[in-house]
Amino acid sequence: MRALLTVLTLASLGVTTTLALSCCTCDDLDVTGTSAEPQIYPCPFIIKVNKFAYKTNDPEEFLIVTLESRGGGRYINQFMLQAVSIDSMGKTTVANPGDNGVQAFTQVPVEGYTVSTATDCEGKVVRSDTNLKFDSKATKIQFSFAPRRIQGPIKFRATFVDDQGNFWLREESEPIVQIGGPSLDPSIARQNALPVIDPIHTDKCGIEKGCYRVPEGCWEPYCDYIATWRPLSRVGVEYMIEMSARVDGITDRHVSLALSDDIRWGDDHVFECVHEGGTGLTKVYQAKSIAHSTERFRNSQNGIDDTCNLFGLKCGGQFMEGRVRCRFVVRSSRNINSLPLSGSYHLLMYSGPAENTLTAPHKYGYGEYPVASPDMVSLGDISINMQGYARYPLVKAHGILMILAWCFFGTVGLLMTKYYKPMWPNKRFYGHRYWFIAHFNCMAWLFIFVLIAFILIFVEAGGYSKVDYFPLDAHPVMGIIIFCCVIINPIIALLRPADDNDCRPCVNWVHWAFGTVAWCLAIPNMFIGMSFGKAHVPWWATWILFIYILFHIIVEITLEIHQCCTHKKNKERRKKYEFQKRENPKANIPEPEPAGRIFKRNMFIAHFIVTCIVAFIMVIAIAAA
C-alpha cells in the first residue's frame, strides 16, 4: 500500500512553488513520482528518542520521538516516520505496535506549535498530512510512541523532505532495546551513522579563536572559505584548527589549507580535508604543496587528532549541504612536520574534486585559484579576525594596461585610420592631418602599454605560464603573437617608402594585416585574461567589456555603411577639386569637406565618450577587486 505524501511548498525569493511527490511505500519509505535523486550528504535532520530501553506490554510506557533540524537554515517540510524491529542478524522489519488500525504515534505539541499529520499503513506510519501547508517553518516535531506488543530491539526511521525540495531516505535513530528482552549485537551499526559535527561558529572570532574568512563578513554557511585556529598549549606545539569551503565534485572532494611564507602556492605545508564519497567519511591529511598540486607525506596523519571533543565541539569531518568541513587538533611531529607552527604565515585555501582520496591539482580560473590571506598570521594569536584575500599587483597592472591599450587607444586609433582620414581636410597640427596625429599617438601609447604589460606578466609568472588546459593555456600563446605584431608594426611604419613609391600599397597592406591580427587576437585574449583567478575580476566587468565590444562593432558597421552611402558624393567632390587645381594651379583652393561629416563627427564623439566611461569602469573594477 502506498501513501500519498503531500504537495511541497518551496519558498525561493519569496515565490511559492509547488512540487508533487508520492511518498512513501510502507516497507521502505521510498519516494516515488519524481526523477530527483535522494541526497547523499548527511541529513540536516535527526531522530532523537528519550530512552535507550523500553518496557513491553505496559500501557503506561511511551517513547518520545523527536524529529529535529540540526540547524543551518533547513526546515522540515514533509516527513514519514515508522518504527522497525531489529533481528539478531541486524535486519529490520516494520514493527507492529498493536492491533491493526490502532494509532501508535501521537503528536506532542512543541512550544504550542503543531503540524497537521496523519497515520497510514494500518497505523504503523505517521506522516505529514497530504493537504499540509506550513504557515511557519518547522524545525522540531515531536511524537509519543506506544511500544505495545513489540518484542526485541527497535529503532525509528524516517524519510525527510526539506523546504527546498531535497529529500533523504530512511534516516535512523539510535537503537532502543527491550528491558528483559534479547540484547542487541554491538557489531550491528546504524546505516546512516555518518559523522555530523557542529558548524564553525564565527561569533567568537578574534576573541576565543583566530579566524580567516572569504568573503568579508560571512558566516560559515555562506563563506567561500573559512579557517579558524586556537592554541591548546603555551609552547606552541598543539592547535585546534577548523576549515570549511564550498566545493564541487562527483565522488571525492576536498578543501586544503596551506601555511605559506608568501601568497603563492608551492613549497608550503598543507592540511587536506578530504571527503571520500565511497565510504562517506571525511579525513584530514598533511602534505606539501608542489607546483599547483600537493604531495602527501608518508605518515600523513601523524600528529592529527580528529576524534577530540574540546570546548563542547566534536572533532571530525563531513560533507554536508555542498560544504566540506573538518575540525581537528594538530601536534608537532618530527616525523612529518618540519614546519614550526609557531611562526607567522599567509593562509592559502582552495577546494575542488579529489580522486581515490587524492586531491586534484588546483586550477587557475576565477574561483579556482587558491585564495591567500592579505597578511601573515600566527596560529598562536587568537585576536586575529582577518577577511578578504591578497591581491596580485603585477597581474592587476598587466590587466589595466592591456585594457587601456586595446579598449581605449586601440579602438580610437583604429577608427581614426579607417574612417576619419577625409575629415578636417584643411586643418593641420605641426604639418600633419588630425587623423594621423590621433592614430600615431594612440598607437605609440598602445605600444608602450603592451610592452610594459608583457614584461610585468613574465615577471609575475616567473617565465612562461604553467597553465595547461584550454582556454587559459591559449592566453600566453596569443599574447606572444600579439606582442610580436605590436613590435613589428611600428617598424614597418617607420620603414615604409614615400607615398608615390610603387611598393607603398604593398607595405600599407602588410601594416594593416599585422594590426588587424593583433586587434582580432587581443579581443578574445582580454576575455580569457579576465577569467584568471589571480586577477579577481568581477563577473559583471566581463559583461561590460562584452557590451562595449559589441557597441564598437556596431559603430564600425554604421560607419562602414555611411562610408559606402557617401562614397559617390565624396568621389565627385574630389574630382571637382582636382579639376580646379589643374585649372588654377596657383590658386589656394581648399580641399572639399566630406559628405556626412556632421554625422561622422557626432559618431566619433559618442564613441569616444563611451570608450572613456568603459575604460574608467574597467580600470576601477580590476584595481579594486
Side-chain angles (χ1 to χ4, degrees):
M1 178 178 179
R2 291 183 182 272
L4 203 47
L5 190 88
T6 129
V7 179
L8 297 180
T9 303
L10 302 178
S12 176
L13 301 178
V15 178
T16 301
T17 305
T18 302
L19 172 66
L21 298 178
S22 290
C23 175
C24 298
T25 57
C26 291
D27 292 333
D28 57 15
L29 305 187
D30 200 2
V31 171
T32 61
T34 177
S35 59
E37 295 291 331
Q39 299 297 314
I40 62 172
Y41 56 81
C43 181
F45 310 114
I46 190 172
I47 307 171
K48 296 181 179 179
V49 186
N50 66 327
K51 298 180 180 180
F52 293 102
Y54 71 93
K55 294 182 290 183
T56 189
N57 295 323
D58 185 349
E60 303 296 327
E61 180 69 71
F62 292 95
L63 302 175
I64 303 300
V65 184
T66 304
L67 311 181
E68 188 173 2
S69 172
R70 299 179 188 270
R74 292 301 182 97
Y75 302 94
I76 303 172
N77 197 10
Q78 303 294 332
F79 67 90
M80 195 169 188
L81 172 69
Q82 68 180 186
V84 293
S85 296
I86 311 171
D87 65 15
S88 60
M89 302 299 294
K91 295 181 179 181
T92 59
T93 55
V94 178
N96 185 4
D99 298 330
N100 290 346
V102 175
Q103 182 172 329
F105 292 94
T106 303
Q107 187 176 174
V108 179
V110 178
E111 298 177 355
Y113 176 72
T114 61
V115 297
S116 179
T117 61
T119 56
D120 210 335
C121 305
E122 299 177 341
K124 301 174 185 177
V125 169
V126 63
R127 57 174 172 79
S128 48
D129 187 60
T130 53
N131 298 316
L132 175 62
K133 293 183 179 178
F134 280 104
D135 296 324
S136 60
K137 297 178 178 179
T139 59
K140 189 175 183 180
I141 306 172
Q142 204 166 69
F143 295 94
S144 172
F145 177 79
R148 300 184 186 274
R149 293 195 294 274
I150 296 178
Q151 300 290 328
I154 63 171
K155 57 185 173 182
F156 295 90
R157 65 182 183 185
T159 287
F160 292 99
V161 183
D162 71 1
D163 56 317
Q164 299 177 18
N166 303 306
F167 61 94
W168 291 260
L169 300 179
R170 297 178 293 279
E171 295 296 317
E172 298 179 350
S173 70
E174 295 287 351
I176 301 97
V177 298
Q178 176 191 356
I179 297 176
S183 60
L184 183 67
D185 189 338
S187 65
I188 299 174
R190 289 169 52 196
Q191 285 184 343
N192 300 318
L194 295 179
V196 177
I197 64 175
D198 293 322
I200 299 175
H201 301 292
T202 56
D203 55 337
K204 300 300 183 181
C205 285
I207 302 173
E208 296 181 357
K209 58 184 177 181
C211 293
Y212 171 54
R213 291 179 280 173
V214 178
E216 298 182 7
C218 67
W219 55 292
E220 194 210 2
Y222 304 102
C223 288
D224 293 336
Y225 297 97
I226 181 171
T228 76
W229 60 90
R230 66 174 84 189
L232 301 179
S233 62
R234 294 183 178 181
V235 294
V237 295
E238 191 175 45
Y239 302 88
M240 181 176 179
I241 295 177
E242 300 172 303
M243 53 197 290
S244 168
R246 296 176 182 171
V247 62
D248 295 323
I250 298 175
T251 53
D252 297 0
R253 44 189 71 81
H254 79 97
V255 54
S256 295
L257 170 67
L259 307 180
S260 176
D261 55 2
D262 55 29
I263 60 174
R264 290 168 175 79
W265 189 267
D267 198 26
D268 307 318
H269 191 95
V270 182
F271 299 104
E272 299 175 332
C273 173
V274 184
H275 171 74
E276 303 169 7
T279 63
L281 300 178
T282 305
K283 301 179 181 179
V284 181
Y285 304 94
Q286 298 190 76
K288 181 178 181 181
S289 61
I290 297 176
H292 60 296
S293 59
T294 59
E295 183 178 292
R296 197 166 289 172
F297 293 125
R298 179 176 299 177
N299 300 313
S300 59
Q301 291 186 303
N302 269 12
I304 295 291
D305 180 8
D306 58 2
T307 62
C308 58
N309 195 332
L310 299 170
F311 311 106
L313 299 172
K314 184 179 179 181
C315 293
Q318 70 180 34
F319 173 66
M320 190 177 205
E321 300 182 351
R323 302 190 67 85
V324 171
R325 177 189 300 128
C326 280
R327 179 180 293 115
F328 58 94
V329 171
V330 58
R331 300 180 178 88
S332 294
S333 170
R334 294 181 180 179
N335 295 329
I336 59 171
N337 190 5
S338 61
L339 189 71
L341 296 178
S342 58
S344 295
Y345 306 96
H346 285 281
L347 303 181
L348 276 65
M349 299 187 74
Y350 89 96
S351 61
E355 186 174 354
N356 296 325
T357 75
L358 298 178
T359 61
H362 75 74
K363 296 185 177 181
Y364 292 85
Y366 183 79
E368 299 172 331
Y369 194 79
V371 297
S373 61
D375 301 310
M376 302 184 83
V377 303
S378 169
L379 298 186
D381 188 354
I382 63 173
S383 66
I384 295 174
N385 186 13
M386 188 175 297
Q387 305 175 60
Y389 46 79
R391 271 72 172 179
Y392 298 85
L394 295 183
V395 174
K396 290 187 174 293
H398 171 83
I400 290 172
L401 290 173
M402 286 300 189
I403 288 291
L404 291 175
W406 295 106
C407 281
F408 186 81
F409 294 112
T411 55
V412 173
L414 181 66
L415 283 185
M416 294 302 293
T417 191
K418 288 182 71 175
Y419 304 107
Y420 288 85
K421 286 183 179 181
M423 293 287 288
W424 309 286
N426 300 300
K427 296 180 179 180
R428 300 289 187 274
F429 186 83
Y430 287 97
H432 295 285
R433 291 180 179 270
Y434 283 3
W435 77 265
F436 179 79
I437 294 298
H439 177 73
F440 176 82
N441 281 278
C442 284
M443 294 303 105
W445 282 110
L446 183 146
F447 175 86
I448 293 170
F449 282 7
V450 169
L451 178 62
I452 296 173
F454 189 79
I455 294 172
L456 290 180
I457 203 63
F458 260 78
V459 173
E460 169 66 29
Y464 190 79
S465 174
K466 302 178 180 65
V467 182
D468 55 1
Y469 61 94
F470 187 81
L472 299 187
D473 59 348
H475 186 77
V477 176
M478 295 169 66
I480 291 173
I481 296 173
I482 293 168
F483 180 75
C484 292
C485 292
V486 169
I487 293 294
I488 293 172
N489 226 20
I491 297 175
I492 295 174
L494 291 172
L495 298 180
R496 63 185 172 183
D499 292 347
D500 57 354
N501 191 290
D502 293 339
C503 295
R504 180 61 180 259
C506 294
V507 175
N508 286 343
W509 276 107
V510 173
H511 180 71
W512 172 87
F514 275 100
T516 302
V517 169
W519 168 255
C520 291
L521 292 180
I523 298 305
N525 217 32
M526 282 191 293
F527 285 103
I528 296 174
M530 291 171 66
S531 63
F532 274 87
K534 279 188 175 182
H536 292 295
V537 180
W539 64 269
W540 52 264
T542 304
W543 279 104
I544 289 178
L545 181 60
F546 174 79
I547 293 171
Y548 172 71
I549 296 301
L550 186 62
F551 165 78
H552 175 78
I553 293 173
I554 292 173
V555 169
E556 283 212 37
I557 293 173
T558 304
L559 290 173
E560 194 71 41
I561 295 173
H562 180 269
Q563 191 161 281
C564 291
C565 294
T566 59
H567 173 72
K568 185 176 181 180
K569 188 178 291 187
N570 285 326
K571 187 176 181 181
E572 290 175 354
R573 291 184 181 185
R574 193 68 190 178
K575 283 183 178 180
K576 183 178 179 180
Y577 167 74
E578 291 174 354
F579 176 77
Q580 290 175 338
K581 287 291 290 183
R582 287 195 302 270
E583 292 295 319
N584 302 285
K586 295 183 179 181
N588 185 18
I589 303 173
E591 293 187 34
E593 293 288 342
R597 61 186 179 278
I598 296 177
F599 174 82
K600 292 182 71 173
R601 183 187 63 193
N602 293 338
M603 183 65 73
F604 177 76
I605 292 173
H607 181 276
F608 184 78
I609 292 173
V610 172
T611 300
C612 290
I613 293 173
V614 170
F616 178 78
I617 294 175
M618 292 298 298
V619 168
I620 296 300
I622 295 173

